[in-house]
Amino acid sequence: MSGGAAAGGAFVAPRLQRSLSAVYRFYDAFLFPPDERTPPLDVTLDVTIPALDWAALPWANDFTYRFSASTLTRPAPSGAGLAVEVTARNGDYINFEPILLTLPLAVSLPPLRSDFLIARALWPTPAARPPAGETVVRGTVRSATAQPVADLKVVMWSGGSVSPPAGTPYTRTNAAGDFLYRLPQLKGATGSAVSITIQVEDGAVTVAPATLPILLGQTQIVAFQRA
């Protein structure tokens, strides 16, 4: 944003100028990658680049977070492999994978909206509340001595195959051994039973039960024991 010519045609020096560097929009990991019908996350996030002491501005109209900077007297921030941190204020989402940003972005001529927009996944925590009528597993993994087992990668799927289909989403257990696993792709009559398989740490860790019946359209609370 900048000033322009005065009414008489004289040039007026701009007093303010901001440049857009990058725009993030976040989606639930169980609905990722998104398409035009996928709803973005409507949760309160703090999105920052700590190395630059830079916070993104939330834009409620389109659920984006925009890194923009005043560039009237200095260039926009730049750098390679800048770590982007995302924190959900209500604790209902978490990020499990590094988000690295290299600035400046490659921009078309003329610039396109898609040049700046970056879609990323966030994972629902046990504090999240999935939509009513969705099939969900709220699980807890404990050791043989009833201790919570943290930071385990968990994958669940239906269909009876011995390994998860390509692209099956994952989550991780928290410090209390708890996890939330959404199964929005499962469709059918509410209350009908479907067999689900669980895999932990890509098969390196065994838990019981390894398969379980769940009811479509409902939330199941399941206790798992690590072997």
Side-chain angles (χ1 to χ4, degrees):
M1 185 169 79
S2 63
F11 178 76
V12 176
R15 297 182 180 180
L16 175 66
Q17 177 176 291
R18 294 194 69 86
S19 296
L20 184 65
S21 293
V23 180
Y24 281 93
R25 182 183 285 144
F26 298 94
Y27 297 85
D28 191 297
F30 291 94
L31 302 174
F32 203 84
D35 58 29
E36 65 278 359
R37 298 168 296 177
T38 307
L41 286 181
D42 182 12
V43 297
T44 304
L45 303 172
D46 292 318
V47 184
T48 63
I49 300 177
L52 299 178
D53 192 24
W54 195 7
L57 300 174
W59 203 260
N61 290 343
D62 61 1
F63 307 103
T64 60
Y65 294 79
R66 304 183 181 195
F67 284 104
S68 67
S70 175
T71 53
L72 185 61
T73 60
R74 58 184 178 180
S78 62
L82 298 167
V84 178
E85 292 190 359
V86 184
T87 303
R89 294 186 189 178
N90 294 331
D92 44 359
Y93 278 85
I94 192 170
N95 182 38
F96 290 138
E97 297 181 356
I99 300 177
L100 301 178
L101 177 64
T102 294
L103 295 174
L105 298 174
V107 177
S108 307
L109 190 63
L112 301 173
R113 180 172 180 270
S114 58
D115 294 338
F116 298 92
L117 186 59
I118 304 168
R120 292 297 304 228
L122 295 178
W123 282 257
T125 71
R129 295 294 179 265
E134 184 174 281
T135 308
V136 177
V137 174
R138 292 186 177 274
T140 300
V141 181
R142 296 191 178 276
S143 69
T145 56
Q147 299 303 307
V149 186
D151 198 30
L152 291 175
K153 179 182 178 183
V154 175
V155 175
M156 306 185 85
W157 71 96
S158 63
S161 60
V162 296
S163 58
T168 300
Y170 73 92
T171 191
R172 289 190 173 276
T173 58
N174 64 12
D178 299 331
F179 68 89
L180 183 148
Y181 203 95
R182 297 181 63 185
L183 295 154
Q185 77 281 6
L186 291 183
K187 307 297 181 184
T190 299
S192 58
V194 174
S195 179
I196 293 292
T197 302
I198 180 171
Q199 183 187 79
V200 180
E201 287 297 310
D202 298 321
V205 172
T206 302
V207 297
T211 60
L212 63 151
I214 62 172
L215 301 180
L216 293 179
Q218 299 183 19
T219 296
Q220 278 79 200
I221 299 174
V222 184
F224 297 89
Q225 182 175 308
R226 178 175 177 171

